[in-house]
Amino acid sequence: MVSGVKKTSDKKKPAISYWSKEKCNCPVCKKAFEKEVMLSGNGRMIAGELSEDLHRTFEPSAKFGRIYPLIYDIGACPHCYTALLWADFKDLKKREDQDVLFEKREERKKIVENIFPHFSLTHERSLYDGCAMYYLALLTYNQVNPDMLPTMKSSFLTLRLAWLTRELDEAVPDHNFGYLSEVFYRKALFFYQQAIINETSKAEKSSTLGNFGPDMDKNYGWDGVIYLAGLLEYKYGQKADIQLRLKKLSEAKTAIARIFGLGKSSKDKPGPLLEKARDLYDLLSKEVSDDDI
């Protein structure tokens, strides 16, 4: 860690995170950096509602205030600006990936600074720094080979970034973070649809990913991917070409009905995802019918 940076929270402020004794070794620049880990328990995480886009919100507590667990799921090397899901620092083994990421380290930093100037990768992270880390991660995954499943990971990371920038907008209004959130939602739509295309064409084995999120509290699997692709198309898809929109919504309706067995007395997919899929199916049905295509 950079000299002079405190590794523990101020005594007057309840601790939300701690610095792990085990450092993370960056495979790109070959330097070690410290890993910040969120503490749990003692009322830090008060689970709230599950949103339609499968985001678990957490209620603020009197002791800890509002916390953002997602920001601790990403690691970002302060030496070369490589940012990944923590487990991927050990999986980034191809020399060509390492070389490209090292070569473009300053480029990633400058791109992120255009939106999140003066972000920090060494202090205890804030929501603002967490957003910057997620953006760094998107740029990092954009520069690695398909074996790392970059498209599928970019899908839920971009969706998370849409959530985080929306929460940042609520915390500090009038800084265009709300507009930025909308941009990331539309970018998430692109990645989710491309991940499905890549899976179908076998260009990238997206369905082999162990955890699809999109949030940290539950893995909704490939069914969640199909659902989110349809939901994002409905909410953020283009509307300039009405016939194209109706075609895409019809395809989403068919995919959701097929995956979730809607209209049948099936109990093999119970739970909140099935309920939300039914709601989305109803919304799609209201907007599109077979006669419209």
Side-chain angles (χ1 to χ4, degrees):
M1 168 166 285
V2 175
S3 177
V5 175
K6 293 184 178 180
K7 293 171 58 176
T8 57
S9 298
D10 190 291
K11 292 182 180 180
K12 295 181 180 180
K13 184 179 69 173
I16 296 175
S17 64
Y18 68 94
W19 297 96
S20 173
K21 293 181 179 179
E22 181 181 354
K23 293 185 178 182
C24 180
N25 294 310
C26 179
V28 175
C29 66
K30 316 305 180 184
K31 296 181 180 178
F33 64 97
E34 304 214 31
K35 180 177 181 179
E36 187 179 8
V37 182
M38 181 182 163
L39 290 161
S40 60
N42 295 322
R44 289 181 178 85
M45 298 174 67
I46 304 174
E49 297 294 323
L50 181 68
S51 69
E52 63 180 351
D53 51 4
L54 307 181
H55 177 35
R56 176 69 66 188
T57 57
F58 291 91
E59 303 295 333
S61 68
K63 183 176 181 180
F64 299 98
R66 186 173 294 279
I67 60 172
Y68 307 95
L70 282 174
I71 66 175
Y72 301 95
D73 210 28
I74 290 289
C77 177
H79 308 293
C80 68
Y81 307 101
T82 296
L84 298 162
L85 293 161
W86 284 110
D88 280 346
F89 279 97
K90 293 183 179 179
D91 292 336
L92 185 66
K93 298 178 180 179
K94 287 196 173 182
R95 181 62 181 271
E96 56 265 36
D97 288 345
Q98 297 170 2
D99 291 345
V100 169
L101 289 172
F102 187 77
E103 178 184 348
K104 297 187 177 182
R105 61 193 184 281
E106 289 298 326
E107 177 183 309
R108 289 193 298 278
K109 178 187 177 185
K110 290 179 181 178
I111 291 174
V112 174
E113 283 179 332
N114 287 334
I115 300 179
F116 303 103
H118 312 299
F119 69 88
S120 173
L121 301 182
T122 54
H123 291 75
E124 292 176 345
R125 63 189 72 187
S126 63
L127 175 59
Y128 181 85
D129 296 328
C131 288
M133 292 180 187
Y134 267 85
Y135 195 21
L136 274 175
L138 290 179
L139 298 174
T140 300
Y141 281 110
N142 188 50
Q143 297 168 344
V144 298
N145 74 84
D147 292 345
M148 296 287 292
L149 304 182
T151 309
M152 190 66 255
K153 290 172 183 175
S154 294
S155 301
F156 65 79
L157 292 178
T158 310
L159 183 57
R160 290 182 182 185
L161 192 48
W163 297 336
L164 292 171
T165 47
R166 182 179 59 195
E167 291 169 328
L168 189 57
D169 182 61
E170 294 174 358
V172 285
D174 303 321
H175 286 76
N176 293 321
F177 291 120
Y179 168 78
L180 192 59
S181 177
E182 296 285 318
V183 171
F184 285 127
Y185 270 118
R186 289 180 170 81
K187 193 68 174 175
L189 166 61
F190 165 78
F191 280 123
Y192 270 103
Q193 292 184 339
Q194 190 61 47
I196 294 172
I197 292 172
N198 289 354
E199 173 70 15
T200 303
S201 66
K202 299 182 180 181
E204 193 174 317
K205 298 178 181 178
S206 301
S207 63
T208 62
L209 184 64
N211 192 331
F212 295 87
D215 212 327
M216 294 172 59
D217 70 322
K218 187 172 178 59
N219 175 18
Y220 286 99
W222 191 251
D223 290 350
V225 172
I226 300 298
Y227 165 78
L228 285 168
L231 176 70
L232 292 170
E233 182 64 52
Y234 174 75
K235 295 189 68 176
Y236 300 101
Q238 67 82 31
K239 297 181 181 180
D241 186 334
I242 298 301
Q243 290 304 311
L244 179 59
R245 173 170 173 79
L246 290 174
K247 181 176 183 295
K248 285 184 171 292
L249 293 182
S250 180
E251 291 172 351
K253 176 183 172 183
T254 300
I256 290 170
R258 184 185 302 117
I259 290 292
F260 294 95
L262 301 183
K264 303 176 183 178
S265 57
S266 174
K267 297 182 180 180
D268 63 342
K269 297 180 186 296
L273 183 56
L274 178 57
E275 295 174 6
K276 294 185 183 302
R278 283 173 175 160
D279 291 340
L280 176 59
Y281 184 85
D282 290 342
L283 289 173
L284 293 171
S285 296
K286 289 178 182 178
E287 185 159 341
V288 63
S289 67
D290 293 339
D291 292 337
D292 294 320
I293 304 303

